[in-house]
Amino acid sequence: MAYNLLKGKRGIITGALDANSIAWKVAEKAFEEGATFVLTNAPIAMRMGEINKLAEKTKSEIIPADATNVDELTNLFTKSQEILGGKIDFVLHSIGMSVNIRKKIPYTESNYDYFMKGIDVSAMSFHKMLAVARKLDAINEWGSVVALTYMAAQRTYPFYTDMADIKAMLESIARSFGYHYGVEKKVRINTVSQSPTKTTAGTGIKGFGDFFDYANSIAPLGNATAEDCANYCITLFSDLTRMVTMQNLFHDGGYSTTGVSNEVMQKLGVSE
């Protein structure tokens, strides 16, 4: 059911690769809620994905941009305002990549060139995006920027390797930039720490299926789906959350605050 929470709002949505991605679901939901927006992704990701289908469905234009490149980000924010007819009200940063994970390199043996690439793509890109938007004064007052993260930034998950450190940096950028952008322009910046989600990227992590089931058994409400996450992001883009900023918001069915569940204890053979 649509409530027009974003009626008249303009946005930029990054990271929509295919119908399984959270960014894709956010775009669909934002369109239902009355927003207009542009879609963007790195050229190589666009060739791999199906973003043209999403653009057609949501009546959106696509602006290719490498989020690690300041010139391309400048073009993204400049052209977005031209296409949409004004300043931006919301931005979704849904960008994450670890070469070390892709190549199955253990955390303690991390390739540092790959590590730096992961930082640039998955965290520094967030700072660059915000810095470009601020320099261009591209985001309206009370605008909202949301980046997707994972709680490996707070707790150790061995299989998440260098992305855990990178996500911690991402969350720190949200707090630090959130202060400055908030004081200057009332722009709010938050991160959403999502449950393990069956996206194309998520399922590529070794042991993801077993961990997905484990997290689902711990969380009182079960794992939050990509659709659930999209709904949550829409509330953060809306005027209903105008005073929420610099927060890391857990969207995980209660997993992050549950020590152990009866279901997991029973699976371990522990009974009362």
Side-chain angles (χ1 to χ4, degrees):
M1 181 182 293
Y3 298 95
N4 292 318
L5 289 177
L6 302 184
K7 186 176 182 180
K9 292 191 179 294
R10 311 177 185 96
I12 296 174
I13 295 176
T14 74
L17 182 65
D18 56 37
N20 294 318
S21 66
I22 292 173
W24 188 290
K25 305 296 184 186
V26 171
E28 290 178 329
K29 181 58 65 173
F31 179 68
E32 289 177 18
E33 295 296 337
T36 56
F37 47 86
V38 299
L39 300 168
T40 185
N41 212 328
I44 186 171
M46 291 175 62
R47 290 195 295 271
M48 293 168 56
E50 303 173 344
I51 194 171
N52 289 320
K53 294 180 182 178
L54 181 63
E56 182 178 354
K57 182 176 183 179
T58 60
K59 298 179 173 59
S60 304
E61 292 197 34
I62 303 169
I63 304 176
D66 178 349
T68 68
N69 186 300
V70 171
D71 289 338
E72 293 191 25
L73 288 173
T74 300
N75 180 66
L76 170 64
F77 276 95
T78 301
K79 281 197 172 180
S80 294
Q81 292 178 86
E82 293 172 0
I83 291 168
L84 298 173
K87 292 185 181 182
I88 305 304
D89 297 296
F90 66 88
V91 178
L92 177 71
H93 181 282
S94 180
I95 304 169
M97 184 278 297
S98 167
V99 182
N100 278 309
I101 288 179
R102 284 184 184 176
K103 293 184 176 292
K104 298 179 173 57
I105 298 173
Y107 178 74
T108 52
E109 301 170 18
S110 293
N111 177 297
Y112 295 119
D113 290 333
Y114 295 161
F115 206 147
M116 292 303 297
K117 180 65 175 178
I119 290 171
D120 197 19
V121 171
S122 308
M124 196 69 73
S125 64
F126 192 41
H127 193 287
K128 292 176 181 178
M129 188 175 290
L130 292 166
V132 167
R134 176 180 172 273
K135 183 177 181 179
L136 296 175
D137 192 21
I139 300 179
N140 274 318
E141 287 197 358
W142 301 106
S144 175
V145 183
V146 173
L148 300 181
T149 186
Y150 183 57
M151 71 173 299
Q154 287 80 36
R155 300 184 186 179
T156 298
Y157 294 85
F159 54 82
Y160 211 60
T161 67
D162 60 346
M163 276 300 292
D165 301 333
I166 294 167
K167 289 296 188 183
M169 183 177 180
L170 179 80
E171 293 174 17
S172 180
I173 289 170
R175 290 187 293 271
S176 299
F177 224 115
Y179 171 81
H180 295 287
Y181 224 158
V183 168
E184 295 175 8
K185 291 291 181 179
K186 305 300 182 188
V187 172
R188 56 199 200 270
I189 303 173
N190 296 289
T191 53
V192 170
S193 189
Q194 167 69 358
S195 297
T197 310
K198 292 183 178 180
T199 62
T200 301
T203 53
I205 298 174
K206 182 181 179 181
F208 175 84
D210 290 335
F211 181 68
F212 180 91
D213 294 338
Y214 170 79
N216 200 52
S217 298
I218 289 285
L221 302 182
N223 290 330
T225 65
E227 290 85 354
D228 293 327
C229 189
N231 288 332
Y232 193 38
C233 289
I234 295 303
T235 67
L236 293 171
F237 294 153
S238 78
D239 293 334
L240 298 178
T241 51
R242 281 164 65 97
M243 299 306 290
V244 180
T245 193
M246 301 163 63
Q247 302 297 309
N248 180 48
L249 302 161
F250 289 100
H251 184 257
D252 59 8
Y255 173 87
S256 54
T257 46
T258 302
V260 70
S261 68
N262 287 332
E263 183 178 346
V264 167
M265 295 290 280
Q266 289 165 4
K267 287 180 178 180
L268 292 172
V270 179
S271 58
E272 295 182 1

